[in-house]
Amino acid sequence: MKTDEVLEKVQDSRRVPSENARQASSTSDLGGCTRPPLLSPSPASQPCLTCQASILPLPSPPLPSLRPLLMGRRRDSLAWGAWRARGAWRPWGTLGAWGVCLAAALSILAPYPANASFRLGSPWGWRCVNETCVKEEKDPRTILPDLDTCKLTCARGSVIWPRPTGLVRIGNETVFFLLGALELGKVNTGNPEAEELVRESFNIFNTTLASLSSLADGAHLPKGAFTDQVRRHRVVVEVVLVGGGHQTTLSPHTREAYTLSITTQELTTRPVIFATDFFGARHALETLSQLVVSDEDTGLLKVVKTAAVTDAPAFAYRGLLVDTSRNFVTVAALRRTVDAMAASKLNTLHWHITDSHSFPLALHSLPNMAYYGAYSARQVYTPAQVRDLVQYARVRGVRLLPELDAPAHVGNGWQWAEKEGLGRLAVCVNQEPWQELCVEPPCGQLNLANPAIYDIIGQIYEEMLDIFAPVDIFHYGGDEVNLNCWNSTQEINSWMTANGHGVDEEAYYRQWAVFQEKALQLMQKAAKGRKVEGVLWTSELTKPGRLNLSHNSSQYIIQIWSTQDDPVIGEMLAMGHRLIFSNHDAWYLDCGMGAWVGDGNNWCSPYKGWQTVYDNSPHAIATSLTGSPNTELILGGEAALWTEQADTNTVDAKVWPRAAALAERLWSNPSTSWQEAETRFIHHRQRLVQRGVQAERIQPQWCHQNEELCYL
């Protein structure tokens, strides 16, 4: 008998009995074969008296398709439990005895191919009880959704991450659609560049949905009323930028606000987005992607039928620092980082690209910097790669913030100049004993006595502004200067004396301030009239009495990396300085490891769990030190991954999902603590993994499936 004839006979045997007959009992008489309960897979092979064969365990529901057995092709079995309420085709109906035995015989005669797909099915569903998804065994008379669908529709705020700051209303019904039925309808931006960014962002949104299921195109669907309905359903997204939303680059004044409404009428679902700018529209698409799930039974996509979300970030600056000098991180890993940032609505990737360890940035104007400074010829970032990454991030709502740390944290990469007749650009490079000259090996600081450093820095600034364009904010570094390095260098000591500066501690701080003023002037020259905000780390130069040596409150944004109880925070706020928080007692993601020099733990231990990250509130810190949240002066915050003990292979797990906890703190600024966010946070971790990010596991999967039962 030919394969197609066999299939036809078997399918004839899979005719659906009446609903009453199907629900009459949990077992069915299959011509002498006892069928296990419909919603539980058979624990063992069942004896068949009619055909004197052994029926192999069948997933129930559904019965596996026989075509992969006969043809050796991959075809996921069809589980149509979700169709039951719609009166559609039910392939798990009672089989005739002949058909069952024929299926068993064919299963024995045709070995199951290694590349065929087998989906077991599950006896479990989830019931929404008081906004909590409760795991229950399915009952033939009750339809329970799968876990993702329950989480999507059960809680008031759904599983949106970060939590929206305004109105959130999510309907409790979903509708199936095919990926090919998703389209971008009206786009009204009033700006061709913004429109192009919106269209690119929509393509990314489409790709994100495609990653939810390999069956999202519906090619596996059999003929029938349900299939016809699914194929005809359209999802049409509309985007409108309002209020002159022409802004296509991020600035401290970008609003990033949006509203998202979803309505469904007959065979069309319409998500409509109103946004203040492209970035708000992109965030709305991210929220929309989180309101779509893959149905566990069918593999089809489902979107909520109705929703209304009003949203805008609490903080303008929501950042993540990645250090690529201590250990190299590939562009592919940086792209994954950007993807996860976009999924969490973080908007700034602070790229600490160089340090005393290495200089991996290849520059056309100064090729010797990477030639001498890269770990290898393969471990460099070319100008083309940087430009591509800038655009890759931009369309995902993320800006790249470049940092050239100076006057300390320079060394390898700066050694070439002496051979070129420019003298020593950096001193103390790789010098020992390092403990006397820097905070960690290898050492290195710019040579204040050599005026050539300013020519080189000016060239670096010019090229960095070009390859990172558009640049609205630049990080000068500016911390951890070791005065002994300068003072013990004869060239610098003599220069200080000859110029009447003196060689005491305050004299060196004054010259450090002079260097920073010149660096600012070089940046202004390189910017050619464009405004570029400058950022400095807290340092000895930002302590009381020195804060205004080289800069006032309008010139620099200060990034806090001390602790949350540092009195300097209050003093800087009192002087009107704008701040970005990265206090290491909560937002340094490299803490809690074994020491990499000596024994014990690294300097900023213990490990900062996601709960600590989540509860660290810049406004609360400011209030504790000054009595006011200082909302106008606190721009936001940033988590930092310094890579002494991380590289391409570990960056995902070091950063994620903890940086997502930071994201909700900075987007939503919740008044509640981490406990309220835990269920959504664990689900967001699953979402990141689904999108290809190797995020660290936070709890056993059992906790994800059994909400609020993993507690103390």
Side-chain angles (χ1 to χ4, degrees):
M1 185 179 294
K2 294 182 179 180
T3 297
D4 288 340
E5 293 174 344
V6 172
L7 285 173
E8 183 177 355
K9 286 185 176 294
V10 173
Q11 295 300 334
D12 284 342
S13 70
R14 294 184 174 186
R15 298 310 178 205
V16 183
S18 68
E19 185 72 13
N20 292 335
R22 190 184 63 78
Q23 295 182 353
S25 68
S26 61
T27 60
S28 300
D29 182 9
L30 306 182
C33 304
T34 301
R35 181 177 180 180
L38 287 176
L39 298 172
S40 301
S42 173
S45 298
Q46 303 296 319
C48 179
L49 303 179
T50 302
C51 56
Q52 301 299 314
S54 176
I55 301 177
L56 299 182
L58 298 179
S60 179
L63 294 174
S65 169
L66 295 180
R67 186 168 291 276
L69 298 179
L70 300 175
M71 306 301 292
R73 298 176 183 171
R74 178 185 176 91
R75 170 82 68 161
D76 287 339
S77 59
L78 306 179
W80 309 125
W83 298 12
R84 202 165 25 149
R86 297 169 178 80
W89 187 62
R90 302 181 183 88
W92 61 76
T94 304
L95 292 178
W98 186 92
V100 172
C101 295
L102 177 59
L106 289 172
S107 298
I108 296 170
L109 294 174
Y112 197 75
N115 66 338
S117 178
F118 178 84
R119 297 175 63 191
L120 181 62
S122 172
W124 305 110
W126 278 261
R127 185 186 304 277
C128 183
V129 180
N130 297 326
E131 298 192 45
T132 299
C133 291
V134 178
K135 188 176 183 180
E136 294 184 5
E137 188 171 0
K138 293 176 184 176
D139 183 277
R141 295 160 296 183
T142 306
I143 297 175
L144 293 177
D146 57 42
L147 179 61
D148 285 347
T149 304
C150 182
K151 287 180 179 288
L152 176 64
T153 58
C154 182
R156 192 175 310 167
S158 187
V159 284
I160 301 173
W161 192 276
R163 189 179 73 188
T165 54
L167 172 72
V168 182
R169 291 179 181 169
I170 309 298
N172 59 8
E173 295 183 8
T174 59
V175 60
F176 289 94
F177 70 98
L178 301 184
L179 187 64
L182 176 66
E183 60 183 271
L184 181 60
K186 179 177 69 175
V187 178
N188 186 354
T189 65
N191 181 340
E193 184 179 12
E195 180 173 340
E196 179 60 27
L197 287 170
V198 168
R199 294 189 181 279
E200 289 184 53
S201 189
F202 181 80
N203 291 338
I204 296 167
F205 166 73
N206 196 312
T207 301
T208 298
L209 297 194
S211 71
L212 296 178
S213 172
S214 61
L215 304 176
D217 60 0
H220 63 297
L221 293 176
K223 294 180 180 180
F226 177 81
T227 298
D228 291 343
Q229 184 178 14
V230 171
R231 292 192 184 281
R232 292 168 59 197
H233 197 91
R234 300 166 63 227
V235 178
V236 183
V237 181
E238 298 180 3
V239 178
V240 179
L241 302 189
V242 297
H246 297 167
Q247 195 168 3
T248 57
T249 57
L250 279 169
S251 77
H253 309 292
T254 305
R255 292 180 60 192
E256 303 178 73
Y258 71 89
T259 64
L260 168 66
S261 65
I262 302 176
T263 58
T264 300
Q265 292 183 338
E266 297 180 346
L267 294 176
T268 302
T269 296
R270 292 190 181 277
V272 178
I273 294 166
F274 288 91
T276 57
D277 40 63
F278 155 70
F279 300 97
R282 192 227 69 88
H283 297 325
L285 287 172
E286 174 55 42
T287 297
L288 178 58
S289 75
Q290 297 183 13
L291 298 177
V292 177
V293 297
S294 169
D295 181 69
E296 185 175 302
D297 285 339
T298 66
L300 298 175
L301 299 181
K302 295 189 293 187
V303 62
V304 291
K305 282 187 172 183
T306 59
V309 179
T310 302
D311 205 6
F315 292 94
Y317 187 103
R318 307 180 305 281
L320 171 67
L321 177 147
V322 176
D323 162 27
T324 62
S325 169
R326 288 166 173 83
N327 278 305
F328 187 77
V329 178
T330 62
V331 171
L334 291 174
R335 284 189 169 213
R336 268 197 325 275
T337 300
V338 169
D339 291 340
M341 292 177 69
S344 307
K345 299 188 178 80
L346 290 171
N347 69 356
T348 302
L349 177 58
H350 175 178
W351 194 351
H352 186 88
I353 195 168
T354 68
D355 210 290
S356 58
H357 307 72
S358 73
F359 196 109
L361 179 61
L363 300 171
H364 288 306
S365 59
L366 294 166
N368 276 333
M369 299 299 294
Y371 182 67
Y372 276 77
Y375 284 130
S376 75
R378 297 180 301 278
Q379 293 173 298
V380 297
Y381 305 104
T382 67
Q385 287 176 320
V386 173
R387 288 191 179 96
D388 287 347
L389 187 59
V390 167
Q391 183 59 24
Y392 184 90
R394 182 186 179 202
V395 75
R396 288 161 177 80
V398 178
R399 67 175 156 212
L400 263 60
L401 165 56
E403 177 183 354
L404 181 68
D405 203 349
H409 294 282
V410 301
N412 289 288
W414 296 79
Q415 306 101 315
W416 57 273
E418 198 166 5
K419 295 180 180 179
E420 301 291 330
L422 296 177
R424 285 194 298 171
L425 298 176
V427 296
C428 307
V429 178
N430 300 332
Q431 193 170 321
E432 294 290 340
W434 67 266
Q435 292 91 338
E436 298 178 7
L437 303 169
C438 59
V439 295
E440 68 177 54
C443 300
Q445 290 181 183
L446 288 176
N447 183 359
L448 293 179
N450 185 353
I453 63 173
Y454 297 109
D455 294 331
I456 300 303
I457 290 173
Q459 291 182 62
I460 295 174
Y461 285 170
E462 286 185 12
E463 188 155 352
M464 289 183 81
L465 290 189
D466 176 47
I467 62 178
F468 281 91
V471 176
D472 71 298
I473 185 169
F474 185 89
H475 209 299
Y476 294 93
D479 70 334
E480 296 186 325
V481 167
N482 185 294
L483 299 188
N484 188 51
C485 167
W486 279 341
N487 195 47
S488 64
T489 300
Q490 187 59 47
E491 181 182 354
I492 296 177
N493 186 287
S494 299
W495 176 79
M496 293 283 287
T497 303
N499 286 277
H501 299 314
V503 291
D504 61 280
E505 186 176 85
E506 292 304 317
Y508 279 108
Y509 286 131
R510 285 192 293 271
Q511 291 310 304
W512 178 3
V514 169
F515 164 82
Q516 187 55 53
E517 177 62 27
K518 290 184 177 180
L520 176 63
Q521 293 170 1
L522 289 169
M523 175 55 65
Q524 292 171 339
K525 180 181 177 181
K528 299 175 181 175
R530 302 191 312 275
K531 182 175 177 58
V532 177
E533 296 275 10
V535 187
L536 286 171
W537 292 108
T538 48
S539 67
E540 291 294 324
L541 209 59
T542 62
K543 286 190 173 180
R546 302 193 189 109
L547 196 56
N548 282 331
L549 278 177
S550 67
H551 50 277
N552 57 49
S553 60
S554 65
Q555 287 179 306
Y556 296 101
I557 299 164
I558 307 300
Q559 186 164 2
I560 306 295
W561 68 275
S562 54
T563 57
Q564 59 186 282
D565 58 357
D566 185 353
V568 171
I569 298 171
E571 292 164 359
M572 285 189 288
L573 288 171
M575 296 177 68
H577 283 272
R578 295 165 295 163
L579 303 184
I580 294 170
F581 276 76
S582 294
N583 48 299
H584 71 254
D585 52 354
W587 285 352
Y588 268 29
L589 303 181
D590 53 302
C591 302
M593 306 297 295
W596 64 277
V597 284
D599 58 6
N601 297 322
N602 62 3
W603 73 275
C604 60
S605 291
Y607 181 86
K608 318 306 179 193
W610 78 268
Q611 300 92 333
T612 298
V613 174
Y614 190 92
D615 284 347
N616 188 64
S617 167
H619 285 169
I621 293 171
T623 300
S624 69
L625 294 171
T626 69
S628 167
N630 287 273
T631 55
E632 297 300 317
L633 294 177
I634 298 176
L635 302 184
E638 179 176 284
L641 179 68
W642 302 102
T643 58
E644 287 93 344
Q645 295 172 283
D647 62 8
T648 295
N649 302 296
T650 59
V651 65
D652 282 17
K654 292 273 190 179
V655 171
W656 305 104
R658 288 184 293 163
L662 170 91
E664 178 148 305
R665 168 55 56 188
L666 296 176
W667 181 277
S668 312
N669 196 26
S671 58
T672 52
S673 68
W674 63 267
Q675 287 95 337
E676 183 279 334
E678 185 174 33
T679 295
R680 287 182 301 105
F681 181 75
I682 300 303
H683 191 75
H684 187 62
R685 183 267 174 188
Q686 299 294 94
R687 180 183 291 131
L688 293 175
V689 172
Q690 174 71 41
R691 297 188 187 188
V693 179
Q694 299 302 302
E696 185 178 44
R697 193 92 212 190
I698 300 299
Q699 292 179 334
Q701 189 169 349
W702 186 90
C703 300
H704 182 237
Q705 294 184 351
N706 295 270
E707 294 180 9
E708 301 182 7
L709 295 183
C710 294
Y711 64 91
L712 289 176

